[in-house]
Amino acid sequence: GAGVSQSPRYKVAKRGQDVALRCDPISGHVSLFWYQQALGQGPEFLTYFQNEAQLDKSGLPSDRFFAERPEGSVSTLKIQRTQQEDSAVYLCASSLEGNPSGELFFGEGSRLTVL
Amino acid sequence: RKEVEQDPGPFNVPEGATVAFNCTYSNSASQSFFWYRQDCRKEPKLLMSVYSSGNEDGRFTAQLNRASQYISLLIRDSKLSDSATYLCVVNRVSSGGSYIPTFGRGTSLIVHP
């Protein structure tokens, strides 16, 4: 498909388990963002990549959260020792430009439930 | 205080009504402004960009007031299919010089017959 693809769509984890969420952006898109969206809230910024460079990770809530985009395309968001407060939808978005002033294209999200 | 503030609603309006949403942002250095639409359990999608001169797209009109740090969205002749959450988005400039799209919590619109 031509859109942003995220997997898994749904993940149930036991508290303390590690999880990895994958994002396949639109081919050729320079910018990639990760957001966390809790129920009834807007997407909250986590981290930003321009190609393989992680230019901003100020939104990552703790050092349990780690993201990478080693070859400038696919990105992985890893959450170690998951906690119940990590339950949310994790959205990945890409944009054609670096430092985008245009449209963000979102994936359908990965819904994480931590028991 | 959140960087982008919106009234969460819900706004409950009859078909055909005109409804307006507002959004304020705190960082005067913000660049680029947008409205996104998010349907229930779906991803956000761009509705329209917001330009300083104001802009219109069919039944939708967006306006920006930089002096007051205020953005608005007007929907005329509401349709049932307009029912959704409308997210205000402001590109703030981070300390490293990156443009970070920052979302409000969204305003819920329910259009009823």
Side-chain angles (χ1 to χ4, degrees), chain A residues 9-10 33 35 37 40-45 48 55-56 58 91 99-104 106-108 111, chain B residues 2 32 34 36 38 41-46 87 91-92 94-95 97-106:
Chain A
R9 290 289 314 283
Y10 302 92
F33 296 86
Y35 289 87
Q37 187 171 25
Q41 301 296 316
E44 294 282 345
F45 169 74
Y48 166 54
L55 297 187
D56 194 312
S58 62
L91 292 164
N99 259 351
S101 57
E103 183 174 2
L104 288 180
F106 281 87
E108 293 181 292
R111 184 177 297 273
Chain B
K2 285 185 74 74
S32 307
F34 308 89
Y36 277 71
Q38 186 171 28
R41 300 180 78 88
K42 297 286 190 181
E43 72 275 21
K45 292 185 179 176
L46 179 67
L87 297 160
N91 272 15
R92 65 171 173 85
S94 73
S95 57
S98 300
Y99 288 7
I100 304 298
T102 304
F103 287 73
R105 67 173 295 178

Side-chain angles (χ1 to χ4, degrees), chain A:
Chain A
V4 178
S5 177
Q6 292 188 244
S7 61
R9 290 289 314 283
Y10 302 92
K11 176 69 179 178
V12 178
K14 292 182 178 178
R15 192 171 51 187
Q17 191 177 351
D18 296 349
V19 300
L21 308 176
R22 177 188 168 104
C23 173
D24 266 284
I26 294 172
S27 178
H29 276 202
V30 170
S31 292
L32 185 147
F33 296 86
W34 283 99
Y35 289 87
Q36 181 191 60
Q37 187 171 25
L39 193 63
Q41 301 296 316
E44 294 282 345
F45 169 74
L46 295 177
T47 187
Y48 166 54
F49 290 87
Q50 190 174 111
N51 296 309
E52 69 279 2
Q54 189 175 24
L55 297 187
D56 194 312
K57 55 181 181 178
S58 62
L60 296 176
S62 76
D63 59 8
R64 297 186 295 104
F65 287 71
F66 170 78
E68 60 182 3
R69 193 187 185 196
E71 297 177 358
S73 55
V74 171
S75 178
T76 304
L77 176 67
K78 297 179 180 176
I79 309 173
Q80 295 179 320
R81 305 181 303 282
T82 51
Q83 304 294 314
Q84 284 188 319
E85 62 262 27
D86 300 335
S87 296
V89 176
Y90 291 84
L91 292 164
C92 175
S94 70
S95 184
L96 181 61
E97 309 159 331
N99 259 351
S101 57
E103 183 174 2
L104 288 180
F105 295 86
F106 281 87
E108 293 181 292
S110 291
R111 184 177 297 273
L112 173 65
T113 303
V114 182
L115 303 177

Side-chain angles (χ1 to χ4, degrees), chain B residues 58-79:
Chain B
R59 298 181 292 108
F60 299 83
T61 301
Q63 294 199 310
L64 167 65
N65 184 323
R66 283 189 184 269
S68 301
Q69 295 177 202
Y70 169 99
I71 304 158
S72 66
L73 177 68
L74 182 78
I75 306 175
R76 291 181 298 277
D77 187 24
S78 299
K79 310 292 184 191

Side-chain angles (χ1 to χ4, degrees), chain B residues 6-61:
Chain B
Q6 291 183 257
D7 178 351
F11 285 62
N12 212 313
V13 304
E15 270 187 294
T18 295
V19 62
F21 306 137
N22 302 320
C23 166
T24 57
Y25 59 96
S26 59
N27 190 331
S28 60
S30 296
Q31 307 286 327
S32 307
F33 307 87
F34 308 89
W35 285 100
Y36 277 71
R37 170 188 169 132
Q38 186 171 28
D39 292 296
C40 187
R41 300 180 78 88
K42 297 286 190 181
E43 72 275 21
K45 292 185 179 176
L46 179 67
L47 177 66
M48 59 195 302
S49 301
V50 186
Y51 302 117
S52 297
S53 54
N55 49 297
E56 190 173 303
D57 182 1
R59 298 181 292 108
F60 299 83
T61 301

